[in-house]
Amino acid sequence: MDAGQLALLLEVSQALQGPLQLKPALERALQKLESEGMVLRAAVVLRGDEGDLRTVAAAGAGFESKRARNELAEGVAARVVQSGRPAVLPALAPDSRREPARPDRSQTTQVCMPILLDGKPAGALCVELDDQEPGDHGAAQRFFGALAGIIAAALEAQRGIEEERRSLFEENRLLRQQLLQRYDFSNLVGTSGPMRQACEQIAQVAPTDTTVLIRGESGTGKELIAHALHYGSLRAKKPFVKLSVASIPDSLVESELFGYEKGAFTGAQTRKRGRFDLAEGGTLFFDEIGELNAAAQVKLLRVLQEHEFQRLGGTETIRANVRILAATNKNLEAAIVAGEFREDLYYRVNVFSIFVPPLRERKPDILLLAEHFLAKYSRQHRKAIRRMAAPATDMLMSHHWPGNVRELENTIERAVLTCEGGVIHGHHLPPTLQTAESSGTLLQTSLGEAVEQYEKDLILDALKSARGNRARAARLLCSTERVVNYKVRKYRIDWQRFRDRAAGPGGPGRA
Ligand SMILES: Nc1ncnc2c1ncn2[C@@H]1O[C@H](COP(=O)(O)OP(=O)(O)OP(=O)(O)O)[C@@H](O)[C@H]1O
Ligand SMILES: [Mg+2]
């Protein structure tokens, strides 16, 4: 191989590794061969998914025609792909001689090299050469064999990329599906009156484009409701974008919202898309909207009124097709009076409001939510926890839950993590719940008392499992009936309440 040929190989291999799609890159590589006078014509034939052969790139006179390309794929290339062996033909099939602008056939030679992937022929590189010395095709075979190898490497890389893209696409689809399921509002746990009312409101307003203000204390589930509104709308397949107003410095809120053009201010080296851009077609959720500064309030009001905005430092007016949701735990009416929140913006945002009551005001939901989180975190932490002991549920019910559902969720996750057996007991709950005055028995200070409470919990639990049968409860505890009887008396446990009523007297309840 001479230096010119090597340089050409290098150039072709770089073209094939470049950013171009494989087909145009191949096309360009073949054109290069032709323009350098290495070949009269050249083509790459590849096997398709169904095993059919197709000419994917070609260069040189006559190959513009589809027919000539097909002939190639059906003729010599087909044989080479089938056998996996190179072919050298001194002349082309007679009927292709009718093509215009072709050199004299007697002086051309066709060389066709297989393109091997994993040792199997996946296609062929076919070239037509001028002025070959009859009988000396060794050099040509070496050169075009090397080129076929480079094309094979590029193909392999491309297949890897395609595979990766396919798997990313599939992953994306699955994630979207999971999001849809996760935030489907059937995931909002709660059957209390206020929760049912909130669900009805969500169902009513979700499919519309109405701006919704979600109000409630911290941890009540405002963000979950915002998700349910988005994933229950026609915008579900478009982005849900959140802006946590409180977590962004005042000076950055506007650029976060609207983005900026390159050079808008020192440091703006590239154009940046804002949240309005990112949420195009979907939903933009303003968390803690009460924290929005005065300048940003004015700009947001403008978007809400005119449905358009400008990037910082830009002149182009961009139309915004975005649904706005907002949440706050602040008293916005008081903020208006204090001059901290614009009244006109308040009316634009508060078109439809959903109030999420604090957890302490929807007691029936506490146990449902606790069960829900117990199942969720048992699964997540791979623990086989079946239920909560009665004293633990009493503690949950009597707590005030200042942190609302989030506090309950954290409490249950912590209990799941510390629980060794299959049941959550009172001592798995945090001290804030232990000292709740309302739970009466729970003001433990000494080790002795804590141990006694634990022992009592265990016995209650075993009695419950054994449906009041004290002998069986003793077996469950690896203890004796005598000890269990003694403890039952000591702790004044009403074991009869666990008896299986259906069994009647003489049933398993008699111990
Ligand atoms: N009804 C519910 N069913 C199931 N999970 C809930 C429910 N309400 C709240 N949660 C869960 O409680 C946690 C807190 O909810 P969320 O983040 O939506 O509260 P928030 O009102 O936005 O709180 P903050 O005001 O502090 O931002 C989340 O993990 C959420 O999934
Ligand atoms: Mg929130």
Side-chain angles (χ1 to χ4, degrees):
M1 230 177 274
D2 64 30
Q5 284 179 323
L6 275 178
L8 194 77
L9 275 187
L10 181 66
E11 203 172 320
V12 168
S13 101
Q14 279 168 348
L16 289 177
Q17 284 164 21
L20 276 185
Q21 290 272 343
L22 188 66
K23 237 172 145 165
L26 276 176
E27 200 92 35
R28 192 187 288 183
L30 298 185
Q31 274 158 11
K32 184 86 192 163
L33 288 180
E34 192 218 352
S35 65
E36 295 279 318
M38 309 272 308
V39 300
L40 294 170
R41 312 200 296 172
V44 171
V45 174
L46 290 179
R47 205 201 286 275
D49 286 340
E50 276 111 47
D52 52 321
L53 286 183
R54 231 172 281 158
T55 305
V56 295
F63 269 158
E64 304 83 4
S65 103
K66 216 173 181 166
R67 208 182 91 202
R69 287 166 157 243
N70 286 345
E71 270 173 10
L72 182 70
E74 286 158 13
V76 59
R79 258 178 292 142
V80 168
V81 174
Q82 188 143 41
S83 67
R85 303 177 67 81
V88 180
L89 303 176
L92 277 180
D95 60 341
S96 54
R97 286 180 199 168
R98 287 197 299 271
E99 298 284 344
R102 301 278 306 277
D104 179 2
R105 310 308 310 156
S106 62
Q107 289 182 1
T108 68
T109 299
Q110 209 174 30
V111 176
C112 194
M113 304 301 295
I115 296 173
L116 302 173
L117 275 186
D118 295 329
K120 287 190 209 97
L125 165 69
C126 299
V127 295
E128 203 173 302
L129 314 169
D130 199 6
D131 289 329
Q132 279 289 316
E133 294 280 320
D136 175 25
H137 303 126
Q141 281 198 38
R142 273 194 300 282
F143 176 75
F144 292 107
L147 190 55
I150 290 173
I151 294 174
L155 260 177
E156 200 146 39
Q158 159 103 358
R159 293 209 171 153
I161 291 169
E162 254 163 32
E163 204 127 290
E164 195 171 340
R165 187 181 302 156
R166 245 200 301 274
S167 85
L168 282 174
F169 183 82
E170 179 60 11
E171 185 177 321
N172 202 319
R173 199 183 60 77
L174 280 175
L175 284 173
R176 265 180 205 285
Q177 205 175 343
Q178 279 178 9
L179 275 178
L180 271 171
Q181 283 166 1
R182 179 166 319 162
Y183 293 120
D184 170 1
F185 71 93
S186 59
N187 280 314
L188 275 171
V189 176
T191 53
S192 63
M195 212 49 211
R196 271 211 299 270
Q197 193 183 348
C199 282
E200 269 164 31
Q201 286 180 308
I202 295 167
Q204 188 185 349
V205 78
T208 69
D209 263 351
T210 307
T211 303
V212 180
L213 179 63
I214 309 160
R215 311 185 67 159
E217 286 180 11
S218 179
T220 44
K222 297 186 293 296
E223 188 164 343
L224 200 63
I225 289 180
H227 277 122
L229 287 170
H230 171 72
Y231 289 101
S233 78
L234 296 174
R235 297 170 178 265
K237 290 204 167 117
K238 298 286 183 163
F240 175 90
V241 176
K242 167 177 155 180
L243 181 84
S244 297
V245 180
S247 67
I248 299 174
D250 269 359
S251 55
L252 294 183
V253 169
E254 282 175 64
S255 67
E256 276 299 325
L257 267 181
F258 305 111
Y260 49 75
E261 295 292 345
K262 185 175 169 182
F265 44 83
T266 33
Q269 277 155 355
T270 51
R271 166 196 273 194
K272 181 183 148 82
R273 297 177 71 198
R275 305 286 163 105
F276 266 105
D277 254 340
L278 296 172
E280 176 60 26
T283 302
L284 180 52
F285 172 49
F286 284 82
D287 203 6
E288 288 315 327
I289 195 163
E291 306 296 325
L292 211 57
N293 67 49
Q297 286 182 33
V298 176
K299 295 219 168 163
L300 175 60
L301 181 66
R302 205 189 130 210
V303 187
L304 287 175
Q305 283 170 339
E306 288 156 34
H307 303 285
E308 53 188 38
F309 66 94
Q310 285 174 341
R311 293 199 187 94
L312 264 61
T315 47
E316 186 194 353
T317 301
I318 304 165
R319 277 207 68 74
N321 169 19
V322 172
R323 182 199 196 168
I324 306 290
L325 302 176
T328 183
N329 59 17
K330 202 166 161 175
N331 183 340
L332 285 186
E333 293 76 9
I336 293 171
V337 173
E340 290 161 3
F341 201 82
R342 293 182 67 102
E343 194 170 359
D344 42 10
L345 179 59
Y346 171 78
Y347 287 115
R348 283 280 169 183
V349 170
N350 192 17
V351 181
F352 188 102
S353 73
I354 296 179
F355 177 67
V356 206
L359 189 56
R360 61 186 166 278
E361 287 173 21
R362 38 183 168 120
K363 290 248 174 200
D365 292 346
I366 295 179
L367 290 187
L368 271 180
L369 281 162
E371 297 277 336
H372 167 76
F373 294 132
L374 185 63
K376 171 176 166 185
Y377 288 108
S378 300
R379 212 167 35 237
Q380 196 164 315
H381 298 295
R382 296 174 199 285
K383 292 207 169 181
I385 301 174
R386 289 168 287 120
R387 59 191 183 83
M388 269 176 280
T393 56
D394 289 346
M395 288 161 74
L396 295 180
M397 285 304 283
S398 50
H399 185 56
H400 194 60
W401 299 112
N404 293 297
V405 186
R406 181 177 295 112
E407 185 188 357
L408 176 60
E409 180 168 2
N410 293 341
T411 299
I412 301 293
E413 181 174 14
R414 175 184 182 275
V416 166
L417 282 172
T418 51
C419 180
E420 300 293 343
V423 180
I424 302 278
H425 292 287
H427 63 273
H428 294 125
L429 300 177
T432 41
L433 273 75
Q434 312 283 355
T435 53
E437 314 95 36
S438 43
S439 53
T441 53
L442 304 167
L443 218 84
Q444 298 139 353
T445 40
S446 74
L447 176 64
E449 278 169 331
V451 170
E452 285 190 347
Q453 181 60 46
Y454 184 32
E455 191 173 53
K456 186 177 164 191
D457 282 353
L458 288 176
I459 293 171
L460 273 168
D461 215 60
L463 282 167
K464 201 166 167 190
S465 302
R467 297 198 181 148
N469 182 325
R470 285 169 292 171
R472 202 176 323 145
R475 279 199 298 279
L476 286 175
L477 293 167
C478 301
S479 179
T480 62
E481 199 178 343
R482 197 179 60 79
V483 170
V484 167
N485 275 328
Y486 165 71
K487 302 279 183 191
V488 161
R489 274 197 302 280
K490 176 178 170 193
Y491 297 126
R492 300 168 196 271
I493 293 172
D494 174 16
W495 56 272
Q496 304 208 36
R497 77 174 159 119
F498 299 116
R499 283 171 61 172
D500 189 349
R501 286 209 195 110
R510 235 171 86 171

